[in-house]
Amino acid sequence: MAARRMRIIARKTLRTFWERPGRRDAEGPLKAWFREVNRADWRGSADVKAAFRSASIVGDSRVVFNIAGNKYRLVARVNYPYRVVYIRFVGTHREYDQIDVNDV
């Protein structure tokens, strides 16, 4: 059986973030994250941790990724059986500190 690839929902969220003033440095790292995740075939959180050692698994389906050397945070909800990654939040650490990861 051929490996399946992850589908990423809301790619526009990434573009919208890096197009904001002062966030241009996020474009390269977010594109790199997108490429790597798009090629992945995550069956569970252990697969995420193998690919992104600094990722934080929050609950059953939320993952917090460090972007651009930990300058930014990306929160995603992952549906492992269907291989879908939903981008829920991208922001600075200060912005991240103001959200509830389980509610975004």
Side-chain angles (χ1 to χ4, degrees):
M1 185 161 136
R4 295 168 55 191
R5 293 165 45 138
M6 302 304 287
R7 287 186 312 133
I8 303 168
I9 305 298
R11 182 179 186 178
K12 183 180 178 184
T13 302
L14 301 179
R15 183 179 303 112
T16 299
F17 181 77
W18 77 60
E19 288 178 346
R20 289 172 52 195
R23 308 289 168 88
R24 269 310 207 190
D25 63 333
E27 181 177 3
L30 286 172
K31 284 182 174 179
W33 177 88
F34 184 91
R35 279 191 305 274
E36 187 166 345
V37 173
N38 191 48
R39 284 183 252 160
D41 181 22
W42 295 336
R43 295 160 196 241
S45 59
D47 294 333
V48 175
K49 288 295 282 183
F52 294 92
R53 296 178 66 121
S54 65
S56 299
I57 309 301
V58 182
D60 292 335
S61 63
R62 302 285 173 147
V63 182
V64 180
F65 296 92
N66 297 318
I67 304 294
N70 205 18
K71 184 174 183 181
Y72 303 111
R73 293 273 174 100
L74 184 151
V75 177
R77 186 172 67 81
V78 183
N79 183 321
Y80 297 104
Y82 289 96
R83 308 299 196 274
V84 179
V85 176
Y86 301 91
I87 298 169
R88 307 301 299 153
F89 169 85
V90 183
T92 64
H93 275 270
R94 180 175 289 167
E95 293 164 341
Y96 172 81
D97 289 343
Q98 296 174 10
I99 67 165
D100 181 340
V101 174
N102 293 306
D103 288 338
V104 295

